[in-house]
Amino acid sequence: MADEALVVIDLQNDFCPGGALAVAGGDEIVPLVNDLIRRTDHVVLTQDWHPAGHSSFASSHPGAQPFTMIEMPYGQQTLWPDHCIQGSLGSDFHSGLAWTKAELVIRKGFRPDIDSYSAFFENDRTTQTGLAGYLRERGIDTLTLVGLATDFCVGFSALDAVSQGFKTTVRLDACRGIDLNGSLEAMLQRMRDAGVTLEDHLSD
């Protein structure tokens, strides 16, 4: 459909098994995502794209441990292992991903002092990636989101998509979550409350 797009979130090596910030089963979704890409006219990819020494890396904060929280000027920030460093093998799309059909790749997290989960906004919630404007100019108003991770980059992208006026569906069977201290169920509830359609075709 001309007014629909598939947005594939961060299906990169570092988020797959063996990567620096591996999501359990992250590579399992690749065949399903590829099938959705084949059946969708318009495809957008996001790519986590951090400079070395990014402020969201635990290694940038002496004594800090990954997966702990710190306060940043824009609010609370989870500290992560070093991941998706620009130009690294870990930042590449999974080798099995049929990514060549993508019409746009949105790189995010490239500003050294601010993290970026959402495909639409940096974590300060004001700096835009330009994706919303791109989609509107293309006449696209309906989005399906897939990728990694359900409770972080997929979830925040879906919440922002709804807030920007897009009809938004998350295909849960084509996502995998990190589930950090209950973050998965919390994000699923936030998406439901915001009006995101959650679909899971595993039982089909």
Side-chain angles (χ1 to χ4, degrees):
M1 302 289 288
D3 60 352
E4 297 181 10
L6 178 71
V7 183
V8 181
I9 304 290
D10 297 0
L11 197 38
Q12 295 165 260
N13 289 328
D14 267 347
F15 296 127
C16 291
L21 185 48
V23 180
D27 55 343
E28 297 170 357
I29 66 173
V30 172
L32 177 53
V33 171
N34 286 344
D35 188 48
L36 292 168
I37 288 173
R38 279 191 290 272
R39 293 191 278 123
T40 307
D41 288 340
H42 302 297
V43 179
V44 174
L45 305 180
T46 70
Q47 188 176 23
D48 226 24
W49 195 248
H50 296 305
H54 192 267
S55 62
S56 70
F57 295 166
S59 63
S60 299
H61 304 270
Q65 294 298 312
F67 308 111
T68 57
M69 300 284 285
I70 65 164
E71 195 68 29
M72 298 286 267
Y74 51 84
Q76 285 205 315
Q77 171 68 49
T78 301
L79 294 179
W80 304 107
D82 292 23
H83 67 280
C84 295
I85 294 172
Q86 296 169 359
S88 68
L89 182 63
S91 70
D92 287 348
F93 295 118
H94 186 281
S95 60
L97 181 66
W99 60 267
T100 55
K101 189 178 176 182
E103 298 169 346
L104 177 71
V105 176
I106 289 281
R107 284 177 167 164
K108 57 191 184 62
F110 55 80
R111 293 176 176 85
D113 296 326
I114 183 167
D115 206 6
S116 183
Y117 296 155
S118 169
F120 293 90
F121 289 94
E122 306 279 79
N123 284 8
D124 62 358
R125 317 303 305 137
T126 57
T127 304
Q128 300 195 35
T129 65
L131 179 57
Y134 171 87
L135 294 169
R136 289 191 192 106
E137 287 198 3
R138 299 287 306 278
I140 293 166
D141 61 11
T142 302
L143 304 179
T144 298
L145 273 62
V146 299
L148 306 171
T150 315
D151 38 344
F152 286 93
C153 295
V154 174
F156 283 103
S157 297
L159 294 173
D160 285 343
V162 168
S163 76
Q164 293 294 300
F166 296 96
K167 183 181 177 186
T168 306
T169 297
V170 171
R171 277 286 299 267
L172 294 175
D173 50 333
C175 301
R176 291 292 183 273
I178 295 175
D179 203 14
L180 194 60
N181 302 318
S183 57
L184 182 57
E185 187 52 48
M187 179 57 79
L188 292 175
Q189 191 59 52
R190 284 183 67 180
M191 288 193 285
R192 288 188 199 99
D193 292 346
V196 177
T197 300
L198 301 179
E199 292 186 4
D200 191 337
H201 293 230
L202 284 174
S203 58
D204 288 2

